Amino acid sequence: MSSDPLRTAVWRKLVLQPLVWAAALLGTAIPWYLSGHGLDFVPYLLVLVGGALCGMTFVNATLSMKRTGLGAVIHFVVAVVVGGAMWWLVFRGNTILDDSPGALKSAVLLVQMAGIPAVGWMWLGIISRLSSLASKPSTKDPERVAPVWEEQPTGTLVHFAAITMPLRTLIVIMVATIAAAGSLTALALIAAEYYLGIVSVRFTLIVAGALVALPAYLFIKARFSRRTVPCTAAFTQTQLLVTTGTEQHVFRYSQIEKLLWRCTSDYARIEVHTQDSTLTLITGIAKAPRTVLGQLPELSRSTVRSLNEGGLAKKRTKRPGLTEFCRVPSTIPGSKDLLRP
């Protein structure tokens, strides 16, 4: 018996949400904290990864805001406020909570341990924003611009740099890197307690932030830069032609089941889904030339019309810069038979 396509689509969206994984990890660690064993290796690692995923979700949300200036302000204000709250909990709050019930202390400890990587990820995001500003060309250098469409005899074409990688793989790499960083932090704390006799939330903050989180962030950035390849996407009246390096992919509109086109943010990408294959090109995190932004241009009206004529209907989405096309059920071969009772 075939599964419900709607239920499958909802399940896939939930699995790809870092915040869902964060909630699952933090929820799993709660019994350890309530029993007074929150600093054991397993719950410590669960909370560390869960907190980092919370920080990642917040940073990605601000980067995805349509008003980029407002997103930067919200990012900075929340990072300062949450960072100040964490500073108070680490250096001042413990003395005030000495006479509090055990459950409250456990909850505060969980918030402390999850907040450390979350705040660290927020400030890494601010560092990334500042580095982007610092790397902007001066008035003497060419201005950075987004890729633009080039008119061709058969349609339109755009050049861009991208990474050939499914979105779920990108999330897995990030989660695995965070987990590895959390394990290194835990091992460093265990070694510090055993050999030096020093371990505290303050020491955890230093180890997790300066010695682990920043190198992990630089590792992810360097890994994605090495996998960047030059790409093109050409839309004609009947098909989409995509080149990735030396490879060429041809998709007739009648073969495409779903086409996702996201113009901006770190998740700017192309996704082409057919019955036999899926191609994902992520340009938001790719290493683009100095004069080109890691973005994609909006689809032209003629391209949208050609996609509609090929049986693909545009879906409504709430995310800015995201355009999604799905095949109309009546144009799927054999769909009438599938609808029969």
Side-chain angles (χ1 to χ4, degrees), residues 172-186:
V172 168
I173 290 176
M174 289 185 173
V175 173
T177 304
I178 293 172
S183 300
L184 291 176
T185 303

mmCIF file with all atom_site columns, all heavy atoms in Angstrom, residues 172-186:
data_model
loop_
_atom_site.group_PDB
_atom_site.id
_atom_site.type_symbol
_atom_site.label_atom_id
_atom_site.label_alt_id
_atom_site.label_comp_id
_atom_site.label_asym_id
_atom_site.label_entity_id
_atom_site.label_seq_id
_atom_site.pdbx_PDB_ins_code
_atom_site.Cartn_x
_atom_site.Cartn_y
_atom_site.Cartn_z
_atom_site.occupancy
_atom_site.B_iso_or_equiv
_atom_site.pdbx_formal_charge
_atom_site.auth_seq_id
_atom_site.auth_comp_id
_atom_site.auth_asym_id
_atom_site.auth_atom_id
_atom_site.pdbx_PDB_model_num
ATOM 1  N N   . VAL A 1 172 ? 23.014 17.475 7.469  1.00 0.00 ? 172 VAL A N   1
ATOM 2  C CA  . VAL A 1 172 ? 23.720 16.383 8.145  1.00 0.00 ? 172 VAL A CA  1
ATOM 3  C C   . VAL A 1 172 ? 25.165 16.776 8.434  1.00 0.00 ? 172 VAL A C   1
ATOM 4  O O   . VAL A 1 172 ? 25.694 16.500 9.520  1.00 0.00 ? 172 VAL A O   1
ATOM 5  C CB  . VAL A 1 172 ? 23.655 15.096 7.298  1.00 0.00 ? 172 VAL A CB  1
ATOM 6  C CG1 . VAL A 1 172 ? 24.624 14.054 7.829  1.00 0.00 ? 172 VAL A CG1 1
ATOM 7  C CG2 . VAL A 1 172 ? 22.244 14.538 7.297  1.00 0.00 ? 172 VAL A CG2 1
ATOM 8  N N   . ILE A 1 173 ? 25.821 17.429 7.467  1.00 0.00 ? 173 ILE A N   1
ATOM 9  C CA  . ILE A 1 173 ? 27.210 17.866 7.673  1.00 0.00 ? 173 ILE A CA  1
ATOM 10 C C   . ILE A 1 173 ? 27.287 18.852 8.831  1.00 0.00 ? 173 ILE A C   1
ATOM 11 O O   . ILE A 1 173 ? 28.171 18.758 9.688  1.00 0.00 ? 173 ILE A O   1
ATOM 12 C CB  . ILE A 1 173 ? 27.768 18.490 6.388  1.00 0.00 ? 173 ILE A CB  1
ATOM 13 C CG1 . ILE A 1 173 ? 27.968 17.412 5.322  1.00 0.00 ? 173 ILE A CG1 1
ATOM 14 C CG2 . ILE A 1 173 ? 29.094 19.200 6.652  1.00 0.00 ? 173 ILE A CG2 1
ATOM 15 C CD1 . ILE A 1 173 ? 28.417 17.958 3.982  1.00 0.00 ? 173 ILE A CD1 1
ATOM 16 N N   . MET A 1 174 ? 26.354 19.808 8.867  1.00 0.00 ? 174 MET A N   1
ATOM 17 C CA  . MET A 1 174 ? 26.352 20.796 9.954  1.00 0.00 ? 174 MET A CA  1
ATOM 18 C C   . MET A 1 174 ? 26.126 20.123 11.305 1.00 0.00 ? 174 MET A C   1
ATOM 19 O O   . MET A 1 174 ? 26.832 20.401 12.283 1.00 0.00 ? 174 MET A O   1
ATOM 20 C CB  . MET A 1 174 ? 25.289 21.849 9.694  1.00 0.00 ? 174 MET A CB  1
ATOM 21 C CG  . MET A 1 174 ? 25.606 22.790 8.546  1.00 0.00 ? 174 MET A CG  1
ATOM 22 S SD  . MET A 1 174 ? 24.380 24.097 8.384  1.00 0.00 ? 174 MET A SD  1
ATOM 23 C CE  . MET A 1 174 ? 25.145 25.113 7.116  1.00 0.00 ? 174 MET A CE  1
ATOM 24 N N   . VAL A 1 175 ? 25.131 19.219 11.348 1.00 0.00 ? 175 VAL A N   1
ATOM 25 C CA  . VAL A 1 175 ? 24.835 18.543 12.619 1.00 0.00 ? 175 VAL A CA  1
ATOM 26 C C   . VAL A 1 175 ? 26.003 17.666 13.042 1.00 0.00 ? 175 VAL A C   1
ATOM 27 O O   . VAL A 1 175 ? 26.378 17.631 14.226 1.00 0.00 ? 175 VAL A O   1
ATOM 28 C CB  . VAL A 1 175 ? 23.547 17.713 12.482 1.00 0.00 ? 175 VAL A CB  1
ATOM 29 C CG1 . VAL A 1 175 ? 23.317 16.867 13.732 1.00 0.00 ? 175 VAL A CG1 1
ATOM 30 C CG2 . VAL A 1 175 ? 22.341 18.628 12.257 1.00 0.00 ? 175 VAL A CG2 1
ATOM 31 N N   . ALA A 1 176 ? 26.606 16.949 12.082 1.00 0.00 ? 176 ALA A N   1
ATOM 32 C CA  . ALA A 1 176 ? 27.743 16.085 12.417 1.00 0.00 ? 176 ALA A CA  1
ATOM 33 C C   . ALA A 1 176 ? 28.928 16.899 12.916 1.00 0.00 ? 176 ALA A C   1
ATOM 34 O O   . ALA A 1 176 ? 29.624 16.491 13.866 1.00 0.00 ? 176 ALA A O   1
ATOM 35 C CB  . ALA A 1 176 ? 28.145 15.263 11.195 1.00 0.00 ? 176 ALA A CB  1
ATOM 36 N N   . THR A 1 177 ? 29.162 18.066 12.292 1.00 0.00 ? 177 THR A N   1
ATOM 37 C CA  . THR A 1 177 ? 30.265 18.925 12.737 1.00 0.00 ? 177 THR A CA  1
ATOM 38 C C   . THR A 1 177 ? 30.004 19.442 14.140 1.00 0.00 ? 177 THR A C   1
ATOM 39 O O   . THR A 1 177 ? 30.911 19.482 14.990 1.00 0.00 ? 177 THR A O   1
ATOM 40 C CB  . THR A 1 177 ? 30.443 20.100 11.768 1.00 0.00 ? 177 THR A CB  1
ATOM 41 O OG1 . THR A 1 177 ? 30.652 19.595 10.445 1.00 0.00 ? 177 THR A OG1 1
ATOM 42 C CG2 . THR A 1 177 ? 31.638 20.952 12.158 1.00 0.00 ? 177 THR A CG2 1
ATOM 43 N N   . ILE A 1 178 ? 28.750 19.837 14.410 1.00 0.00 ? 178 ILE A N   1
ATOM 44 C CA  . ILE A 1 178 ? 28.397 20.308 15.748 1.00 0.00 ? 178 ILE A CA  1
ATOM 45 C C   . ILE A 1 178 ? 28.559 19.185 16.769 1.00 0.00 ? 178 ILE A C   1
ATOM 46 O O   . ILE A 1 178 ? 29.066 19.393 17.875 1.00 0.00 ? 178 ILE A O   1
ATOM 47 C CB  . ILE A 1 178 ? 26.960 20.854 15.755 1.00 0.00 ? 178 ILE A CB  1
ATOM 48 C CG1 . ILE A 1 178 ? 26.872 22.124 14.895 1.00 0.00 ? 178 ILE A CG1 1
ATOM 49 C CG2 . ILE A 1 178 ? 26.501 21.166 17.179 1.00 0.00 ? 178 ILE A CG2 1
ATOM 50 C CD1 . ILE A 1 178 ? 25.459 22.617 14.692 1.00 0.00 ? 178 ILE A CD1 1
ATOM 51 N N   . ALA A 1 179 ? 28.129 17.966 16.386 1.00 0.00 ? 179 ALA A N   1
ATOM 52 C CA  . ALA A 1 179 ? 28.271 16.832 17.306 1.00 0.00 ? 179 ALA A CA  1
ATOM 53 C C   . ALA A 1 179 ? 29.744 16.538 17.590 1.00 0.00 ? 179 ALA A C   1
ATOM 54 O O   . ALA A 1 179 ? 30.130 16.267 18.735 1.00 0.00 ? 179 ALA A O   1
ATOM 55 C CB  . ALA A 1 179 ? 27.586 15.600 16.718 1.00 0.00 ? 179 ALA A CB  1
ATOM 56 N N   . ALA A 1 180 ? 30.569 16.594 16.540 1.00 0.00 ? 180 ALA A N   1
ATOM 57 C CA  . ALA A 1 180 ? 32.002 16.362 16.739 1.00 0.00 ? 180 ALA A CA  1
ATOM 58 C C   . ALA A 1 180 ? 32.604 17.447 17.624 1.00 0.00 ? 180 ALA A C   1
ATOM 59 O O   . ALA A 1 180 ? 33.426 17.162 18.516 1.00 0.00 ? 180 ALA A O   1
ATOM 60 C CB  . ALA A 1 180 ? 32.716 16.320 15.392 1.00 0.00 ? 180 ALA A CB  1
ATOM 61 N N   . ALA A 1 181 ? 32.185 18.698 17.397 1.00 0.00 ? 181 ALA A N   1
ATOM 62 C CA  . ALA A 1 181 ? 32.677 19.791 18.239 1.00 0.00 ? 181 ALA A CA  1
ATOM 63 C C   . ALA A 1 181 ? 32.233 19.610 19.681 1.00 0.00 ? 181 ALA A C   1
ATOM 64 O O   . ALA A 1 181 ? 33.002 19.860 20.622 1.00 0.00 ? 181 ALA A O   1
ATOM 65 C CB  . ALA A 1 181 ? 32.178 21.129 17.690 1.00 0.00 ? 181 ALA A CB  1
ATOM 66 N N   . GLY A 1 182 ? 30.980 19.160 19.849 1.00 0.00 ? 182 GLY A N   1
ATOM 67 C CA  . GLY A 1 182 ? 30.504 18.904 21.212 1.00 0.00 ? 182 GLY A CA  1
ATOM 68 C C   . GLY A 1 182 ? 31.274 17.797 21.891 1.00 0.00 ? 182 GLY A C   1
ATOM 69 O O   . GLY A 1 182 ? 31.593 17.871 23.087 1.00 0.00 ? 182 GLY A O   1
ATOM 70 N N   . SER A 1 183 ? 31.601 16.745 21.143 1.00 0.00 ? 183 SER A N   1
ATOM 71 C CA  . SER A 1 183 ? 32.386 15.643 21.723 1.00 0.00 ? 183 SER A CA  1
ATOM 72 C C   . SER A 1 183 ? 33.780 16.115 22.126 1.00 0.00 ? 183 SER A C   1
ATOM 73 O O   . SER A 1 183 ? 34.284 15.751 23.202 1.00 0.00 ? 183 SER A O   1
ATOM 74 C CB  . SER A 1 183 ? 32.494 14.504 20.696 1.00 0.00 ? 183 SER A CB  1
ATOM 75 O OG  . SER A 1 183 ? 31.223 14.018 20.347 1.00 0.00 ? 183 SER A OG  1
ATOM 76 N N   . LEU A 1 184 ? 34.426 16.925 21.269 1.00 0.00 ? 184 LEU A N   1
ATOM 77 C CA  . LEU A 1 184 ? 35.746 17.452 21.616 1.00 0.00 ? 184 LEU A CA  1
ATOM 78 C C   . LEU A 1 184 ? 35.682 18.336 22.851 1.00 0.00 ? 184 LEU A C   1
ATOM 79 O O   . LEU A 1 184 ? 36.573 18.301 23.713 1.00 0.00 ? 184 LEU A O   1
ATOM 80 C CB  . LEU A 1 184 ? 36.311 18.236 20.426 1.00 0.00 ? 184 LEU A CB  1
ATOM 81 C CG  . LEU A 1 184 ? 36.697 17.414 19.199 1.00 0.00 ? 184 LEU A CG  1
ATOM 82 C CD1 . LEU A 1 184 ? 37.137 18.335 18.067 1.00 0.00 ? 184 LEU A CD1 1
ATOM 83 C CD2 . LEU A 1 184 ? 37.806 16.430 19.547 1.00 0.00 ? 184 LEU A CD2 1
ATOM 84 N N   . THR A 1 185 ? 34.607 19.132 22.938 1.00 0.00 ? 185 THR A N   1
ATOM 85 C CA  . THR A 1 185 ? 34.444 19.976 24.127 1.00 0.00 ? 185 THR A CA  1
ATOM 86 C C   . THR A 1 185 ? 34.306 19.129 25.379 1.00 0.00 ? 185 THR A C   1
ATOM 87 O O   . THR A 1 185 ? 34.913 19.411 26.420 1.00 0.00 ? 185 THR A O   1
ATOM 88 C CB  . THR A 1 185 ? 33.213 20.884 23.965 1.00 0.00 ? 185 THR A CB  1
ATOM 89 O OG1 . THR A 1 185 ? 33.353 21.667 22.777 1.00 0.00 ? 185 THR A OG1 1
ATOM 90 C CG2 . THR A 1 185 ? 33.072 21.811 25.160 1.00 0.00 ? 185 THR A CG2 1
ATOM 91 N N   . ALA A 1 186 ? 33.472 18.080 25.277 1.00 0.00 ? 186 ALA A N   1
ATOM 92 C CA  . ALA A 1 186 ? 33.279 17.207 26.440 1.00 0.00 ? 186 ALA A CA  1
ATOM 93 C C   . ALA A 1 186 ? 34.582 16.530 26.842 1.00 0.00 ? 186 ALA A C   1
ATOM 94 O O   . ALA A 1 186 ? 34.910 16.446 28.037 1.00 0.00 ? 186 ALA A O   1
ATOM 95 C CB  . ALA A 1 186 ? 32.210 16.163 26.108 1.00 0.00 ? 186 ALA A CB  1
#
